[in-house]
Amino acid sequence: MKKQVITISREFGSGGRTIGRQLAETLGVPCYDRELIVELAKRSGFDPHYIQENGEYATAKSTFFFNLSLQASADGSLPIADQLYIMTCNLIRELAEKEPCVIVGRCADHALQEREDCMHAFIHADKEFRAHRIVELYGERKENPQKRLKEKDDKRRVYYRHYAGREWGAAENYHISLNSGKIGIDQCVSILAQLAK
Amino acid sequence: MKKQVITISREFGSGGRTIGRQLAETLGVPCYDRELIVELAKRSGFDPHYIQENGEYATAKSTFFFNLSLQASADGSLPIADQLYIMTCNLIRELAEKEPCVIVGRCADHALQEREDCMHAFIHADKEFRAHRIVELYGERKENPQKRLKEKDDKRRVYYRHYAGREWGAAENYHISLNSGKIGIDQCVSILAQLAK
């Protein structure tokens, strides 16, 4: 199945971002991850740090705004989180329209659910593997990294459930889900590249 | 990661059984699927049809019996479904101990969770793909195949939740999850074979 756009959802610390970067390099296409935040900051006027920390946190419990985002651009009367979500969806759809690419995070799988030429991947790993990574590679504090994992994953879960109306990390939402700790980062990249070609 | 034993959990109609057979053939190892039922019938005295239809249905809501099954053999005082589960677990562990193999269904991933030399896969697919398959290949009635899918999946979900104490189909429980409808049966086999070697 030749896929133009690959979305990568990921548990915190699973290496999803690294896999996305390496996959994009292998395929010779751009990877959008932090670039999304920079562009959203430009468009919205919000601080990039605010977007990074709060952009994946939902305030309410319906999928109304996702449907709205299909038709409307941001409306000042909506809560900030919802405005941001609509802008994010629109940006992701623009990028996917422009050229083949890899998009990491931000419910991209849901934003692009109508497109048949996408492959949606979920990267996860055991807590020990992820705790080690976030301390060693992300520079998180050594005290209780498990708590930090839980905080970040819970935010992503709530955000996904809220806007996509589905369970984050349920295999059925993705074409492929991989345990990067067991399979290894390089082999994850290799499998995804093989599928994308 | 060289894996001696591969377990395949699957949504009804997703082709998990076919993938298991083809994978076992590719790897040159035995595949246990209906063979489990035949052997369980021999050991228990239950009718194979009874085991097939009721063996993946749980009667209560704790994981007590899984832990018990680690130490004890079947005890006549337990409910039949639980006796059957304990026998199934013990059989799966015996088979995995004996030689490399592929095991389809029956919570094999949970029965073997202590072993590091296993790869656990989950095969799923969209409802349309599965409905088509169960009518065309399994000979299920053409009327409302979606209902049959739901019945079977619900049974497996309850069985898994009951005995494994985890969510059936949650990506985190498996090393790899694949949408066979999108990826294709042959490519699923090829990816799993590549990972197992």
Side-chain angles (χ1 to χ4, degrees):
Chain A
M1 54 168 189
K2 184 163 173 54
K3 296 298 178 191
Q4 294 292 311
V5 178
I6 296 131
T7 71
I8 297 189
S9 307
R10 73 295 180 220
E11 287 183 343
F12 185 56
S14 66
R17 172 176 296 159
T18 307
I19 290 170
R21 293 262 162 225
Q22 291 185 11
L23 176 62
E25 208 178 302
T26 304
L27 299 174
V29 301
C31 177
Y32 298 111
D33 168 25
R34 292 192 201 276
E35 295 79 0
L36 292 177
I37 294 169
V38 173
E39 182 59 28
L40 284 169
K42 261 194 222 161
R43 293 186 182 193
S44 67
F46 291 123
D47 182 76
H49 181 73
Y50 174 84
I51 295 176
Q52 178 155 19
E53 281 302 307
N54 299 285
E56 288 185 298
Y57 180 69
T59 50
K61 296 197 174 181
S62 80
T63 58
F64 169 73
F65 293 113
F66 174 73
N67 298 321
L68 183 68
S69 75
L70 293 172
Q71 301 144 18
S73 51
D75 172 346
S77 67
L78 294 175
I80 286 173
D82 296 328
Q83 290 181 45
L84 210 49
Y85 179 72
I86 292 172
M87 277 188 240
T88 307
C89 272
N90 290 339
L91 173 59
I92 285 170
R93 291 191 196 109
E94 270 178 44
L95 293 170
E97 198 60 46
K98 204 171 66 175
E99 62 187 333
C101 59
V102 174
I103 303 175
V104 179
R106 307 270 148 179
C107 284
D109 59 305
H110 192 245
L112 299 175
Q113 66 177 349
E114 304 298 330
R115 289 182 64 136
E116 279 295 317
D117 62 344
C118 300
M119 176 170 74
H120 305 303
F122 183 73
I123 307 296
H124 56 99
D126 301 345
K127 287 199 176 65
E128 296 68 27
F129 175 83
R130 297 193 288 132
H132 179 77
R133 279 191 98 252
I134 67 169
V135 171
E136 296 301 317
L137 301 180
Y138 302 6
E140 295 275 348
R141 285 188 305 173
K142 285 183 184 172
E143 290 75 33
N144 207 352
Q146 306 267 0
K147 192 180 160 212
R148 180 75 176 143
L149 289 178
K150 190 175 174 333
E151 276 169 9
K152 293 280 273 188
D153 285 348
D154 283 352
K155 275 195 176 184
R156 289 176 186 175
R157 182 172 296 109
V158 169
Y159 182 83
Y160 192 79
R161 190 183 291 149
H162 171 53
Y163 288 111
R166 304 191 298 199
E167 260 328 286
W168 186 70
E172 64 179 356
N173 298 332
Y174 314 94
H175 294 137
I176 179 167
S177 303
L178 297 168
N179 181 323
S180 56
K182 297 291 185 188
I183 291 175
I185 301 275
D186 290 348
Q187 196 149 24
C188 287
V189 174
S190 152
I191 290 170
L192 293 176
Q194 181 182 327
L195 280 178
K197 277 171 187 169
Chain B
M1 53 168 189
K2 184 162 173 52
K3 296 299 177 191
Q4 293 293 310
V5 178
I6 296 130
T7 71
I8 296 190
S9 306
R10 74 294 180 221
E11 286 184 342
F12 185 55
S14 67
R17 173 177 294 158
T18 307
I19 289 170
R21 293 262 163 226
Q22 291 185 12
L23 176 63
E25 209 179 302
T26 305
L27 299 174
V29 302
C31 177
Y32 298 110
D33 169 24
R34 291 192 201 278
E35 295 79 358
L36 291 177
I37 293 169
V38 173
E39 182 61 25
L40 284 169
K42 262 195 221 161
R43 293 186 182 194
S44 66
F46 291 124
D47 181 76
H49 181 73
Y50 173 84
I51 294 175
Q52 178 156 21
E53 282 303 306
N54 299 285
E56 288 186 297
Y57 181 70
T59 51
K61 293 193 176 183
S62 81
T63 57
F64 170 74
F65 294 112
F66 173 73
N67 298 321
L68 183 68
S69 75
L70 294 171
Q71 299 145 18
S73 50
D75 174 346
S77 68
L78 295 175
I80 287 173
D82 296 328
Q83 291 181 45
L84 210 49
Y85 179 72
I86 292 171
M87 278 189 242
T88 307
C89 272
N90 290 338
L91 173 58
I92 285 169
R93 291 192 196 108
E94 270 177 44
L95 293 170
E97 197 60 47
K98 206 171 66 177
E99 61 186 334
C101 60
V102 174
I103 303 175
V104 180
R106 306 268 149 181
C107 284
D109 60 303
H110 192 243
L112 300 175
Q113 66 176 349
E114 303 299 329
R115 290 182 63 137
E116 279 295 317
D117 62 344
C118 299
M119 175 170 74
H120 305 303
F122 183 73
I123 307 296
H124 57 97
D126 301 344
K127 288 199 176 63
E128 296 67 26
F129 174 83
R130 298 192 287 132
H132 178 78
R133 279 191 98 251
I134 68 169
V135 171
E136 296 301 316
L137 301 179
Y138 301 7
E140 294 276 347
R141 285 188 306 173
K142 285 183 184 172
E143 291 74 33
N144 207 351
Q146 306 266 359
K147 191 180 160 213
R148 181 72 175 143
L149 289 179
K150 188 175 177 333
E151 276 168 9
K152 293 280 274 188
D153 285 348
D154 282 352
K155 276 194 176 184
R156 289 176 186 174
R157 183 172 295 108
V158 169
Y159 182 84
Y160 192 79
R161 191 182 290 149
H162 172 52
Y163 288 111
R166 302 191 300 199
E167 261 329 285
W168 185 71
E172 65 178 356
N173 298 332
Y174 314 94
H175 294 138
I176 179 167
S177 303
L178 297 168
N179 181 323
S180 56
K182 298 289 185 190
I183 291 175
I185 301 275
D186 290 348
Q187 195 149 25
C188 287
V189 174
S190 152
I191 290 170
L192 293 176
Q194 179 182 328
L195 280 178
K197 276 170 190 170

